[in-house]
């Protein structure tokens, strides 16, 4: 079969790399792709990710059987709907189902209606109500901007002054919907779940992301500065609990509400004293969790997608090795940063590095984004995987880049 991957980031690089290994895939294409995908897929960089008509036309003219959509924006904008209307199968939810990520209000209301464990919340639509709320709420409080924010629309305010600053930031362009959530304490983890309507199959290997920019979980939230799997200090019992209390109920709720989901549902969870609770849902693979999970996955991803479509049993197979991924980002990220820094040569197609923000400038590779490249290490232990990952970081260290030094330490110190 011919398969098309939509997206240009590290998650999509990992998807293309993994799909290229499938015996089911004859020709693999990527729109718009990146330099890391060029040896595993036909990269169509002249078509924009947002040009849905051109994507549909391309899929039809190239006999694409399956489209795998990586990023959240095309899902929110309804690319899945257009492709399905054109007779093409899509791994990725419709616009309506993608609300589970694109609208925090939708997700929160659904969880409240179906008693799915999450933080208490208050939703406001104007600045004055937001300012009134923070005068009497408990601290710390989590302030979230409704809608897509590339992982950066969350501020944990420790006091009134920080909350007011968050409100000013989120309302600087006028009225908006903002969610205030009670702060939850515990260990965070990411559970990916394959979903087809009321049929849900959670991964039996979880990953742990590192959202904050700097060591020891300090600094602003980012799209993710690194991840590792497995997460040995979070037991299989917790994964089962998360499946029973969150994954199965939410997909049945969406099906009952006539917004059935097809694709991978990301459950951003936290293990509290009361058990696992939802921090967020995403309508696609996490980034960089996808990179480490797909590296560790031994079984055939494309076969899993086909089996999910047919609602057949899915049995994941995993390598025995642990995997650690360390993100190198442009200095200044997640705020303002420079582009165009020259990078030393490094292999971009062998599964050791997954590209997020790199392009060619003549014969040179240069930075082109905030998150630049994820260096991936594998090893028989998490410590070995961490050592190997940071060895790869050292090969491309650059004064224009920064990275965290403590990816996977939560597992090592538990």
């Amino acid at each position: 079969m011919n398969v098309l991957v939509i997206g240009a980031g590290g998650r999509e690089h990992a998807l293309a790399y993994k799909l290229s290994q499938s015996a089911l895939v004859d020709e693999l294409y990527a729109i718009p792709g990146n330099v890391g995908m060029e040896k595993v897929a036909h990269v169509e960089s002249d078509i924009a990710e947002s040009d849905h008509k051109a994507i549909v036309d391309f899929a039809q003219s190239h006999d694409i059987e399956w489209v795998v959509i990586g990023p959240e924006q095309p899902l929110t904008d309804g690319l899945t709907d257009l492709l399905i209307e054109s007779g093409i199968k899509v791994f990725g939810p419709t616009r309506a189902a993608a609300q589970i990520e694109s609208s925090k209000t939708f997700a929160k209301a659904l969880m409240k209606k179906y008693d799915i464990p999450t933080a208490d919340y208050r939703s406001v639509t104007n600045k004055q109500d937001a300012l009134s709320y923070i005068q009497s709420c408990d601290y710390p409080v989590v302030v979230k901007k409704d809608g897509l924010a590339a992982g950066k629309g969350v501020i944990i305010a420790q006091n009134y002054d920080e909350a007011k600053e968050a409100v000013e930031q989120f309302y600087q362009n006028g009225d908006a919907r903002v969610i205030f959530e009670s702060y939850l304490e515990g260990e965070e983890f990411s559970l990916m779940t394959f979903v087809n309507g009321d049929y849900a199959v959670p991964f039996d290997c979880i990953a742990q992301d590192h959202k904050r920019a700097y060591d020891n979980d300090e600094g602003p939230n980012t799209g993710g500065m690194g991840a590792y799997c497995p997460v040995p200090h979070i037991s299989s019992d917790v994964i089962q609990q998360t499946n029973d209390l969150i994954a199965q109920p939410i997909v049945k709720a969406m099906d009952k509400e006539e917004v059935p989901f097809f694709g991978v549902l990301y459950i951003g969870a936290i293990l509290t004293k009361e058990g696992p609770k939802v921090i967020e849902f995403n309508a696609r693979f996490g980034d960089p969790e996808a990179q480490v999970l797909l590296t560790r996955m031994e079984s055939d991803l494309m076969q899993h997608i086909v089996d999910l479509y047919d609602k057949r049993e899915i049995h994941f197979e995993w390598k025995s090795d642990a995997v650690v991924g360390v993100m190198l980002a442009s200095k200044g990220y997640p705020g303002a940063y420079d582009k165009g820094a020259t990078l030393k040569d490094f292999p971009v197609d062998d599964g050791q590095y997954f590209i997020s923000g790199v392009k060619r400038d003549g014969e040179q590779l240069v930075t082109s984004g905030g998150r630049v490249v994820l260096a991936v290490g594998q090893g028989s232990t998490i410590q070995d995987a961490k050592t190997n990952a940071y060895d790869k970081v050292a090969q491309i260290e650059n004064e224009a880049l920064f990275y965290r030094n403590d990816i996977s330490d939560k597992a090592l110190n538990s």
Side-chain angles (χ1 to χ4, degrees):
M1 68 177 71
N2 295 346
V3 177
L4 169 62
V5 175
I6 303 296
R11 164 184 48 220
E12 291 76 43
H13 185 183
L15 283 166
Y17 185 77
K18 181 64 178 171
L19 289 167
S20 71
Q21 299 168 6
S22 172
L24 298 178
V25 177
D26 297 312
E27 296 291 339
L28 183 65
Y29 300 87
I31 293 176
N34 65 36
V35 296
M37 302 186 206
E38 291 174 348
K39 290 192 177 179
V40 295
H42 304 285
V43 172
E44 306 294 332
S45 58
D46 292 338
I47 302 176
E49 182 182 297
S50 58
D51 192 344
H52 293 184
K53 183 181 184 304
I55 291 171
V56 172
D57 290 346
F58 179 91
Q60 290 178 324
S61 64
H62 287 76
D63 296 321
I64 300 296
E65 183 172 345
W66 275 97
V67 175
V68 178
I69 301 177
E72 58 272 29
Q73 195 66 58
L75 298 170
T76 297
D77 292 342
L79 177 57
T80 295
D81 306 66
L82 291 176
L83 287 162
I84 290 173
E85 288 168 10
S86 302
I88 298 162
K89 296 173 185 173
V90 185
F91 184 71
T94 61
R95 183 203 300 263
Q99 288 181 94
I100 197 71
E101 175 173 8
S102 65
S103 173
K104 294 178 179 66
T105 304
F106 172 84
K108 279 292 191 179
L110 199 62
M111 285 186 277
K112 183 177 182 180
K113 181 175 180 179
Y114 289 91
D115 295 320
I116 294 167
T118 188
D120 293 335
Y121 76 102
R122 170 79 176 272
S123 175
V124 300
T125 56
N126 63 78
K127 185 176 179 180
Q128 190 54 52
D129 285 350
L131 290 173
S132 296
Y133 179 77
I134 62 175
Q135 290 178 349
S136 58
C137 69
D138 294 330
Y139 288 96
V141 66
V142 181
V143 191
K144 296 182 176 181
K145 188 174 182 179
D146 203 15
L148 302 178
K152 293 169 281 187
V154 179
I155 294 173
I156 300 173
Q158 300 293 331
N159 51 51
Y160 172 81
D161 288 340
E162 291 183 6
K164 185 178 180 183
E165 186 177 335
V167 169
E168 295 291 345
Q169 177 181 324
F170 288 158
Y171 281 98
Q172 61 184 338
N173 296 319
D175 281 352
R177 186 177 291 277
V178 169
I179 306 292
F180 294 95
E181 288 186 352
S182 300
Y183 178 73
L184 298 176
E185 290 193 24
E187 192 86 8
E188 294 185 30
F189 61 96
S190 307
L191 175 64
M192 308 298 158
T193 302
F194 278 166
V195 179
N196 181 358
D198 61 354
Y199 178 57
V201 185
F203 282 26
D204 46 7
C205 174
I206 61 173
Q208 191 168 64
D209 187 13
H210 296 62
K211 287 287 188 188
R212 297 298 190 102
Y214 310 125
D215 289 1
N216 304 312
D217 290 333
E218 295 181 357
N221 266 1
T222 71
M225 292 299 296
Y228 68 96
C229 66
V231 185
H233 57 289
I234 294 181
S235 69
S236 57
D237 288 344
V238 171
I239 300 175
Q240 186 61 52
Q241 258 190 306
T242 307
N243 179 45
D244 294 342
L245 298 176
I246 298 170
Q248 300 300 328
I250 195 65
V251 302
K252 288 178 171 60
M254 294 183 74
D255 198 56
K256 188 173 181 180
E257 295 290 321
E258 298 184 347
V259 283
F261 190 102
F262 180 80
V264 62
L265 180 67
Y266 168 112
I267 301 171
I270 184 168
L271 181 57
T272 71
K273 291 178 180 178
E274 293 82 33
K277 296 185 178 184
V278 177
I279 295 176
E280 64 175 349
F281 290 116
N282 291 334
R284 36 71 191 183
F285 274 109
D287 181 349
E289 294 99 324
Q291 292 90 306
V292 296
L293 285 166
L294 294 175
T295 296
R296 191 167 188 256
M297 184 183 286
E298 192 80 74
S299 44
D300 187 325
L301 176 62
M302 193 67 239
Q303 184 65 61
H304 291 328
I305 292 172
V306 171
D307 289 343
L308 179 67
Y309 184 80
D310 294 329
K311 290 189 175 181
R312 291 196 294 259
E313 277 194 69
I314 295 173
H315 298 286
F316 300 106
E317 296 175 12
W318 306 96
K319 298 173 185 174
S320 58
D321 278 1
V323 183
V324 174
V326 180
M327 187 68 71
L328 290 94
S330 299
K331 286 185 177 176
Y333 174 80
Y337 56 86
D338 292 329
K339 300 179 183 179
T342 301
L343 299 172
K344 296 177 182 177
D345 290 337
F346 60 96
V348 294
D349 64 326
D350 63 355
Q352 297 184 62
Y353 299 97
F354 290 117
I355 300 298
S356 295
V358 177
K359 68 176 184 179
R360 282 199 176 82
D361 183 5
E363 296 297 314
Q364 299 288 333
L365 294 176
V366 300
T367 61
S368 61
R371 293 190 299 168
V372 175
V373 59
L374 187 81
V376 177
Q378 301 181 56
S380 57
T381 65
I382 290 176
Q383 180 61 66
D384 288 344
K386 178 186 176 182
T387 298
N388 290 334
Y390 280 99
D391 284 347
K392 292 180 175 63
V393 168
Q395 294 177 38
I396 55 172
E397 262 190 292
N398 187 296
E399 62 181 14
L401 305 177
F402 78 99
Y403 55 90
R404 284 181 57 159
N405 296 282
D406 62 347
I407 305 301
S408 76
D409 281 5
K410 288 180 182 178
L412 296 174
N413 297 330
S414 294

